[in-house]
Amino acid sequence: MKVIFIKITVIAVISFVMIVAFPGLSGNDLYAEPVIEDTIVYSDYYPWYSGASWRKGHSNTPYLGLYNSLDKKVLEQHAQWANQYGIDVFKVEYIPQLDKNIINGILNTDLGNTRVCLMYDCLVRFILLGKGAPPYDFNDPEIYNTFIKEMRHIAEKYFSHPNYFTINGRPVLWIYITREMSGNWQNAIIQAREEINRKGYDVYLVGDHIWWDYDYTGIELFDAIGVYSPYPAGPPDLGQFEKNLDFLYSKWYKKVVSSGIDFIPTSMFGYDDRCLSNERPPMAVLSGTYQEMKKMLMLVSKYLDPVNGASNLNQVSHMTFNENHEGSGLEPSEEWGFSRIELIPKYFGSN
């Protein structure tokens, strides 16, 4: 929990001393915000591209073609673009079935200044477990035990890797759709932390909890609250969506930050999953102009929150780097060129 009251006390004492010792200082000098040296930029990365996945369809065509996620040249180019355009962390979709792809692929690449963290995908994992669509009831022993076992596995397999992203030495792990957990899920989060601690890691846990139902239950279990995709399948206009998103973030930001938890907003430029219509009903297409994309980044910039224990940093996520089935990527493509990715450093720096 953020040490809000301690901070207030310390500020008051410092203010008194400074006013007595240096009466020429103004109030603005005393209460200046901490200097932000960098914004941590996450972008969702998918490690499963192959001939079979491309045959399902694609909403855009990457500049690198219909690539394989284990192609070394592709991985090196992704890393180069990430470094050039300020993508600090590839947030990699994770289920155990992707271990080989991740370990032999993006995690085994010279990423320069970019790092990798995982996002445990509850949706895909529990569908593969035969549990169907969410919500997922953690009173079900199979769901509960699978989750705990795989949290241990992630800690053992990934957290010591030199390319794994940490904040103040704490490995960062996102958990997808925590908002869709029910039953004994809160105890599962607590136990998962304990299990990871026993492995020697103080995990920085991010819950994908933000949604339009404004259900804040359990947010105190996480170090940060964020969202993978804030798109509710409408309205299909980036300008109007941006206005709705402003309202969503304003309410969640107030609740999360006042609770002493880090807040991580997510931006997105587009969505088009019509190529997957054989598998699922497509959502309304979300697309916008270059000016609307800039407004999206201005919006999320309003909700950047200094990190607990590292107040010179804040965090933002972008959906996505390379989700080519859903047309949400930053990755340069034939359809939008570099127009998306080049905006990131203009708003969040390239450090």
Side-chain angles (χ1 to χ4, degrees), residues 209-216 226-227 229-232 241-256 263 266 299 303:
H209 223 69
I210 297 171
W211 198 240
W212 304 85
D213 58 2
Y214 304 99
D215 183 357
Y216 308 117
V227 60
S229 170
Y231 186 47
F241 173 57
E242 176 260 328
K243 294 176 183 177
N244 294 349
L245 194 59
D246 194 8
F247 182 78
L248 176 77
Y249 282 167
S250 67
K251 292 194 68 174
W252 275 93
Y253 179 89
K254 290 173 185 175
K255 179 63 178 180
V256 170
F263 183 85
T266 289
L299 164 65
Y303 298 104

Side-chain angles (χ1 to χ4, degrees), residues 48-343:
W48 35 251
Y49 286 104
S50 65
S53 57
W54 289 114
R55 283 192 291 274
K56 293 169 61 177
H58 50 96
S59 295
N60 59 277
T61 303
Y63 266 2
L64 302 179
L66 305 185
Y67 55 75
N68 188 297
S69 287
L70 293 175
D71 186 321
K72 201 67 178 174
K73 290 183 179 179
V74 169
L75 296 168
E76 289 171 352
Q77 182 61 76
H78 284 169
Q80 182 180 329
W81 281 332
N83 279 252
Q84 181 179 355
Y85 293 102
I87 307 299
D88 298 297
V89 188
F90 283 137
K91 189 204 311 171
V92 180
E93 180 185 33
Y94 179 79
I95 56 174
Q97 291 85 342
L98 291 173
D99 273 335
K100 289 183 179 179
N101 269 36
I102 297 170
I103 292 168
N104 297 330
I106 192 63
L107 199 60
N108 192 38
T109 301
D110 181 0
L111 297 175
N113 293 324
T114 301
R115 292 293 176 263
V116 164
C117 77
L118 300 184
M119 181 173 70
Y120 182 79
D121 191 337
C122 290
L123 177 66
V124 172
R125 185 65 188 102
F126 295 144
I127 286 176
L128 291 176
L129 206 60
K131 303 302 178 179
Y136 296 113
D137 184 2
F138 276 69
N139 290 331
D140 180 336
E142 189 175 18
I143 287 179
Y144 189 103
N145 293 332
T146 296
F147 179 79
I148 297 299
K149 175 184 176 183
E150 291 173 0
M151 291 296 104
R152 286 198 303 264
H153 174 76
I154 288 172
E156 293 169 353
K157 198 82 173 176
Y158 291 92
F159 286 173
S160 64
H161 196 285
N163 273 351
Y164 201 89
F165 179 61
T166 65
I167 296 177
N168 286 342
R170 304 178 65 193
V172 175
L173 175 63
W174 289 61
I175 300 179
Y176 180 52
I177 57 168
T178 55
R179 64 179 182 269
E180 291 286 1
M181 293 178 172
S182 64
N184 198 26
W185 74 271
Q186 294 187 52
N187 192 63
I189 298 295
I190 293 169
Q191 184 177 342
R193 273 195 187 277
E194 293 172 350
E195 298 272 352
I196 293 171
N197 280 337
R198 280 196 279 271
K199 300 293 178 184
Y201 301 103
D202 180 16
V203 65
Y204 183 94
L205 208 54
V206 185
D208 174 28
H209 223 69
I210 297 171
W211 198 240
W212 304 85
D213 58 2
Y214 304 99
D215 183 357
Y216 308 117
T217 305
I219 62 171
E220 70 280 357
L221 299 173
F222 301 97
D223 297 283
I225 294 295
V227 60
Y228 163 68
S229 170
Y231 186 47
D237 171 80
L238 190 58
Q240 184 59 45
F241 173 57
E242 176 260 328
K243 294 176 183 177
N244 294 349
L245 194 59
D246 194 8
F247 182 78
L248 176 77
Y249 282 167
S250 67
K251 292 194 68 174
W252 275 93
Y253 179 89
K254 290 173 185 175
K255 179 63 178 180
V256 170
V257 172
S258 67
S259 300
I261 305 161
D262 292 336
F263 183 85
I264 308 177
T266 289
S267 62
M268 61 183 296
F269 293 151
Y271 189 91
D272 181 0
D273 65 349
R274 290 175 295 177
C275 69
L276 301 177
S277 58
N278 290 334
E279 295 184 3
R280 67 194 194 201
M283 297 206 293
V285 175
L286 174 69
S287 59
T289 65
Y290 189 75
Q291 286 301 117
E292 287 172 333
M293 290 191 290
K294 290 168 68 175
K295 288 179 182 178
M296 170 64 73
L297 297 182
M298 289 177 65
L299 164 65
V300 298
S301 296
K302 291 167 49 179
Y303 298 104
L304 299 179
D305 176 38
V307 176
N308 278 321
S311 59
N312 62 326
L313 302 173
N314 51 35
Q315 304 176 89
V316 69
S317 186
H318 190 88
M319 177 202 171
T320 62
F321 184 82
N322 64 336
E323 224 305 1
N324 298 293
H325 293 320
E326 298 175 350
S328 61
L330 290 172
E331 179 182 14
S333 76
E334 293 180 5
E335 288 75 14
W336 52 73
F338 285 77
S339 65
R340 293 182 173 185
I341 198 168
E342 71 180 9
L343 282 174

